[in-house]
Amino acid sequence: MTASHQSLYPTPPTAALKEAYVGKNLQDVAAPAAIIDRAIVKRNCSQMLRSCEALGCSFRPHVKTHKVLYGIPAPPSTIRRLAQLSKRLQPGSVAVLVDHPDQLRHLEVFKEITGYRLLLYIKIDTGYHRAGITHGSLHFSELVSRILLEEEELPYTEFCGLYSHAGHSYGRSSAIQAMDLLLEEIGNLQLTSAHIRKLYPTRVHRSMILSVGATPTATSIQNISQHYANDSSQPTLKPGQADTLDRYIRDIKANNDRLEVHAGVYPFLDLQQLATQAGPSASTLSTRSTISCRDIAMTILAEVASLYDARDKREALLAAGSLALGREPCKMYQGWGIVSDWNTTSRPTGRDSCWQVGRISQEHGILDQIPNSPDDLAELSVGQKLRIFPNHACIAGAHFGWYLVVDSDLPEARRDEIVDVWVRCRGW
């Protein structure tokens, strides 16, 4: 019997990992390691769910970091593997995106393997220009026609609705800008839904799911129910945005459609998300209205390997490079990670040590001073363990087979104790 593709990506038994790590202190484990603060994850998830519930829309989490809607228009070679995954789950558990008519002929094998239909969303390009189709483009009418016709005559797919991803929201720098993009996304999908019904009035009688989001735009909805008495100088919505969103939601329901919000890195967050300033802080300890380092659940545990006090500026060698931290830039600074204040001298800035990963190679990270930070850098020593806030948690997390879990809601003496191990799914 031929081994399945996924079986060639073995992972150690969870029980063995827990036996090896649970109960240990972070100071006593080998580095680099990916650390997750469970308390922060819970707060971030709860805040997102409460906000969606208050708006009356549903929520779809991505499961890339921590779908199962396959996250890009599915290459033909993935359909058999998705079918096998679906059989292990249940009917209706797997969906794919399409944005070109030629993709449809490769989907029939899913039903041949599972015995039931494959759920289908049309990927709509609302300005990111990474993947997707617009309702005015050359192939749109052909794509919709074939989906609806084949659903009737060759029933191996089930059309669910429209899906967009505002990845360009990562380039914005405020909650107002993120909300503008969310409203643009929703309005675009509403127009596309109306266009489909106009083209095929006798074929489309069902409710369509209009799925919008990216973590910056999704977290921006949390501002609607937040009140910042301590930071009125930073408005999180401009006049009319909340009313426009409310009107869109009412119109979607009136058309018998359903609004869905999706996001991926929102449980963990990272420095890229902090740079967007799109959502409110979930931390009761934060003195800022928007997200801060206190809301970032993932850090990378790394060890200081050497000190270079005699260089033109103070530097240190971190035994963790791009294979642990990734090499994703962050628009708010020029480095590759920021050293938290964990296991360092107390800092006036509250959540960082004034050290950054200023240069990076495969296994080496060079620590230097964050520009424009206080001159009194935290003292470092060879062998000292540090926790680094990554620029992009999804990329950093992918370098590790499992996450070591701590919980900052525990009594202070136990906050560095590993309480669980979360094993990552591997493979493509």
Side-chain angles (χ1 to χ4, degrees):
M1 181 178 177
T2 303
S4 69
H5 175 89
Q6 194 62 37
S7 69
L8 300 177
Y9 290 91
T11 55
T14 302
L17 285 170
K18 290 184 177 183
E19 183 178 356
Y21 288 109
V22 171
K24 286 189 175 181
N25 191 285
L26 290 181
Q27 298 280 9
D28 300 325
V29 299
I35 312 301
I36 300 297
D37 189 324
R38 183 173 63 188
I40 298 177
V41 171
K42 288 181 178 179
R43 287 198 297 269
N44 291 341
C45 290
S46 295
Q47 183 162 266
M48 179 69 78
L49 292 174
R50 285 195 305 268
S51 298
C52 288
E53 188 175 298
L55 284 177
C57 61
S58 57
F59 181 70
R60 177 191 295 272
H62 295 175
V63 194
K64 56 178 180 177
T65 308
H66 22 54
K67 216 183 214 200
V68 173
L69 171 61
Y70 197 82
I72 65 172
S77 63
T78 65
I79 304 303
R80 289 183 177 275
R81 287 189 278 130
L82 288 172
Q84 295 297 339
L85 173 63
S86 182
K87 286 179 66 176
R88 294 175 61 184
L89 300 173
Q90 60 183 8
S93 59
V94 172
V96 298
L97 303 171
V98 294
D99 62 2
H100 194 280
D102 287 355
Q103 294 159 347
L104 298 175
R105 62 188 175 89
H106 299 285
L107 306 181
E108 190 170 359
V109 67
F110 183 93
K111 188 176 182 182
E112 293 174 1
I113 293 172
T114 64
Y116 47 82
R117 298 184 185 208
L118 175 61
L119 304 183
L120 201 65
Y121 289 81
I122 298 176
K123 179 68 182 288
I124 303 299
D125 180 4
T126 57
Y128 191 25
H129 306 320
R130 183 175 70 178
I133 192 170
T134 65
H135 68 255
S137 60
L138 177 65
H139 294 294
F140 182 79
S141 296
E142 180 188 357
L143 175 62
V144 175
S145 177
R146 285 184 55 182
I147 288 173
L148 297 176
L149 180 64
E150 291 178 5
E151 192 174 55
E152 294 174 359
E153 298 183 1
L154 299 169
Y156 53 85
T157 61
E158 180 179 336
F159 177 51
C160 295
L162 310 173
Y163 184 100
S164 70
H165 179 73
H168 48 317
S169 60
Y170 281 67
R172 303 305 193 263
S173 302
S174 73
I176 289 174
Q177 293 173 347
M179 178 57 73
D180 275 339
L181 277 182
L182 179 67
L183 295 175
E184 184 179 317
E185 253 194 303
I186 296 172
N188 194 309
L189 293 198
Q190 279 189 291
L191 287 174
T192 305
S193 171
H195 187 65
I196 291 174
R197 286 190 165 92
K198 183 178 179 180
L199 283 175
Y200 306 103
T202 61
R203 289 192 193 172
V204 183
H205 306 290
R206 78 198 71 187
S207 170
M208 276 188 265
I209 297 172
L210 309 185
S211 188
V212 298
T215 292
T217 51
T219 54
S220 74
I221 70 172
Q222 298 169 7
N223 297 305
I224 293 174
S225 58
Q226 298 290 325
H227 175 66
Y228 302 122
N230 65 332
D231 197 4
S232 59
S233 64
Q234 288 188 316
T236 53
L237 291 174
K238 67 183 179 183
Q241 283 185 321
D243 291 339
T244 300
L245 179 59
D246 182 64
R247 186 178 73 251
Y248 279 167
I249 293 173
R250 284 189 278 107
D251 290 345
I252 288 169
K253 290 179 179 178
N255 288 331
N256 199 33
D257 287 338
R258 180 159 60 90
L259 180 65
E260 175 184 272
V261 174
H262 57 255
V265 75
Y266 72 98
F268 291 174
L269 299 178
D270 51 32
L271 294 176
Q272 287 186 346
Q273 295 303 319
L274 195 155
T276 70
Q277 292 295 285
S281 174
S283 172
T284 57
L285 299 176
S286 179
T287 59
R288 302 175 58 180
S289 60
T290 51
I291 63 171
S292 71
C293 287
R294 291 187 182 276
D295 300 294
I296 299 177
M298 172 182 279
T299 51
I300 303 303
L301 184 73
E303 189 171 356
V304 177
S306 190
L307 303 173
Y308 307 115
D309 293 336
R311 291 180 176 175
D312 291 340
K313 59 180 180 179
R314 287 179 63 190
E315 293 184 334
L317 176 63
L318 191 71
S322 59
L323 291 183
L325 297 167
R327 204 180 181 91
E328 288 269 299
C330 178
K331 65 183 181 183
M332 72 178 185
Y333 78 122
Q334 298 300 310
W336 306 100
I338 290 177
V339 179
S340 77
D341 66 355
W342 179 84
N343 199 33
T344 67
T345 54
S346 175
R347 308 307 306 158
T349 47
R351 285 298 284 180
D352 65 63
S353 61
C354 298
W355 290 95
Q356 66 173 0
V357 183
R359 305 197 306 278
I360 201 167
S361 55
Q362 187 167 310
E363 286 97 8
H364 302 67
I366 302 299
L367 300 179
D368 59 21
Q369 184 174 0
I370 298 173
N372 304 315
S373 63
D375 291 332
D376 54 337
L377 283 165
E379 293 298 324
L380 301 180
S381 59
V382 172
Q384 182 177 356
K385 297 281 181 62
L386 302 173
R387 287 169 69 179
I388 316 297
F389 295 119
N391 285 353
H392 190 171
C394 304
I395 302 298
H399 295 109
F400 298 89
W402 54 84
Y403 301 149
L404 304 180
V405 181
V406 296
D407 193 327
S408 57
D409 279 348
L410 291 174
E412 187 171 357
R414 295 189 58 200
R415 289 176 186 172
D416 292 341
E417 178 186 329
I418 298 168
V419 296
D420 204 353
V421 181
W422 294 349
V423 180
R424 282 183 56 94
C425 178
R426 302 178 63 204
W428 293 92

